[in-house]
């Protein structure tokens, strides 16, 4: 791959991701309306598609306010961290053969490292706001993300053992005959639950529980600073969906009547739809229930999965 092709891939991936993040505003509202038996956006343009433009313009023209009691530079930096860390995570995802920004041998480790940086944006945003509700939301978010990062990492060890690689391209190739969701169902379920908690989407949106904490860690944010937290959340949903597709559902692999990239996109939007359906259907647990659920149920389950997978893999190779 020459330099020009590489630059085109980088800018192409960036352009598509930022447009998906914007487009998911409309997709989520339409799907929530469908599942809740109401109309949803239908006035601004055909099927309400211009609601994306309206929301974007609204965020751009809102007053970009920094509270006088806030730690200004930390307050400004925090929203940028979440977007940067999620975008960096996308560099290792193979969307199709030859369409990957960086084909790293340590792809999974890089993904876990970048996704864990998102904790800093929540903690710094809540702390710099100098607001007790924002700080409570930040502390909730930090403990939730750090706890579920453990289960997320352990849930992928079975995939690594079966494929013999941390490289995502090689993991996709290893699923040529059988998707890993068949051989690693426990790993898939734990990764999905941990992914919902990491992106703090409903039912695990406890760091920003509006009935308890106003808006949680971003209570003091407005304008495009709030918009960057908003974009970061949708990019996070897209990232976790892309990782599920790559690690457990064969990535770009599919019957030959469609191009590999199209298969990847179809699978990707299926899981994005699942994230939105969960928001429409499940209630929020209490905070202590969420944390105890992780340490008392998911941790033993995922450790058992690693033990059993390792034993079976050794037996088959021996």
């Amino acid at each position: 791959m020459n330099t020009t092709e590489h630059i085109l891939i980088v800018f192409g991936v960036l352009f598509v991701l930022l447009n998906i993040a914007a487009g998911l505003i409309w997709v989520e509202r339409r799907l929530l309306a469908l599942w809740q038996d109401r109309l949803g956006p239908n006035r601004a343009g055909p099927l309400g598609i211009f609601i994306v433009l309206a929301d974007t313009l609204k965020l751009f023209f809102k007053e970009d306010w920094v509270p006088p009691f806030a730690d200004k530079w930390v307050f400004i930096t925090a929203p940028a961290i979440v977007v940067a860390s999620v975008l960096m995570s996308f560099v290792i995802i193979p969307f199709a053969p030859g369409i990957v920004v960086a084909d790293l041998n340590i792809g999974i480790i890089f993904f876990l490292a970048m996704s864990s940086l998102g904790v800093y944006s929540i903690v710094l945003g809540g702390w710099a706001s100098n607001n007790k509700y924002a700080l409570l939301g930040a502390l909730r978010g930090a403990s939730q993300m750090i706890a579920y990062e453990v289960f997320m990492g352990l849930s992928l060890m079975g995939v690594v053992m079966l494929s013999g690689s941390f490289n995502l391209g090689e993991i996709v190739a290893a699923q040529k005959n059988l998707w890993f969701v068949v051989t690693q169902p426990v790993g898939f379920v734990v990764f999905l639950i941990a992914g919902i908690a990491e992106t703090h989407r409903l039912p695990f949106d406890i760091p920003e529980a509006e009935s308890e904490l106003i808006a949680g860690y971003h209570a003091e944010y407005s304008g495009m600073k709030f918009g960057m937290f908003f974009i970061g959340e949708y990019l996070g949903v897209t990232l976790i969906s892309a990782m599920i597709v790559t690690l457990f559902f064969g990535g770009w692999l599919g019957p030959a009547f469609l191009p590999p990239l199209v298969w990847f996109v179809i699978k990707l939007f299926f899981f994005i739809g699942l994230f939105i359906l969960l928001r429409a259907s499940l209630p929020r647990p209490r905070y202590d229930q969420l944390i105890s659920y992780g340490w008392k149920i998911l941790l033993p389950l995922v450790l058992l999965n690693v033990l059993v997978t390792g034993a079976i893999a050794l037996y088959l190779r021996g």
Side-chain angles (χ1 to χ4, degrees):
M1 188 187 297
N2 60 40
T3 308
T4 309
E5 287 176 343
H6 210 97
I7 290 170
L8 284 173
I9 287 173
V10 170
F11 281 103
V13 168
L14 189 62
F15 176 78
V16 170
L17 287 176
L18 292 176
N19 277 288
I20 283 179
L24 283 182
I25 298 169
W26 176 79
V27 170
E28 179 161 42
R29 291 181 185 183
R30 290 296 296 188
L31 287 180
L32 287 174
L34 176 69
W35 285 315
Q36 294 170 350
D37 196 23
R38 53 189 176 82
L39 292 175
N42 59 12
R43 300 293 181 195
L47 298 174
I49 191 72
F50 292 157
I51 198 77
V52 176
L53 186 62
D55 264 10
T56 309
L57 288 173
K58 178 187 74 174
L59 287 173
F60 269 115
F61 287 104
K62 268 190 171 182
E63 183 183 359
D64 192 19
W65 187 67
V66 177
F69 45 79
D71 189 329
K72 184 178 179 182
W73 293 111
V74 180
F75 185 85
I76 291 168
T77 307
I81 295 173
V82 66
V83 176
S85 63
V86 176
L87 286 175
M88 284 294 288
S89 301
F90 275 102
V91 304
I92 45 91
I93 292 178
F95 300 98
I99 304 180
V100 58
V101 176
D103 193 23
L104 301 180
N105 288 329
I106 53 163
I108 286 181
I109 297 172
F110 184 84
F111 158 73
L112 292 171
M114 288 298 110
S115 60
S116 64
L117 287 178
V119 178
Y120 287 101
S121 74
I122 290 176
V123 173
L124 292 175
W127 174 72
S129 296
N130 202 5
N131 172 317
K132 63 184 178 184
Y133 291 113
L135 183 60
L136 275 172
L139 292 174
R140 282 182 171 193
S143 58
Q144 175 177 320
M145 289 179 79
I146 290 168
Y148 278 81
E149 192 81 29
V150 175
F151 319 135
M152 179 179 275
L154 287 171
S155 69
L156 300 181
M157 291 304 100
V159 169
V160 171
M161 282 189 272
L162 292 176
S163 62
S165 175
F166 284 101
N167 181 294
L168 293 185
E170 291 175 15
I171 288 171
V172 171
Q175 298 176 73
K176 191 172 183 179
N177 298 319
L178 188 66
W179 290 353
F180 283 149
V181 70
V182 178
T183 52
Q184 284 291 297
V186 174
F188 162 65
V189 170
V190 172
F191 185 83
L192 177 63
I193 293 170
I196 297 164
E198 283 288 303
T199 52
H200 32 88
R201 294 278 297 176
L202 265 159
F204 297 156
D205 67 331
I206 296 168
E208 48 191 90
E210 70 282 346
S211 58
E212 302 163 29
L213 300 175
I214 312 173
Y217 59 89
H218 54 63
E220 297 290 352
Y221 282 89
S222 67
M224 274 314 293
K225 292 192 191 74
F226 168 75
M228 290 183 83
F229 278 120
F230 200 56
I231 290 165
E233 180 178 315
Y234 281 125
L235 283 175
V237 169
T238 310
L239 173 66
I240 296 298
S241 301
M243 288 298 291
I244 289 171
V245 168
T246 304
L247 296 166
F248 296 101
F249 286 84
W252 67 74
L253 298 173
F257 64 85
L258 286 176
L261 183 59
V262 175
W263 279 120
F264 188 93
V265 171
I266 289 170
K267 296 174 188 177
L268 175 70
F269 275 95
F270 173 81
F271 283 104
I272 289 172
L274 178 64
F275 268 85
I276 296 169
L277 175 60
L278 288 173
R279 175 177 177 176
S281 55
L282 293 178
R284 181 188 295 136
R286 284 201 325 265
Y287 186 65
D288 59 304
Q289 290 173 331
L290 173 69
I291 298 299
S292 63
Y293 175 64
W295 290 112
K296 292 177 182 176
I297 299 174
L298 292 188
L299 184 62
L301 200 61
V302 78
L303 287 173
L304 184 65
N305 182 56
V306 170
L307 190 67
V308 171
T309 304
I312 293 171
L314 281 173
Y315 175 76
L316 292 174
R317 287 172 190 171

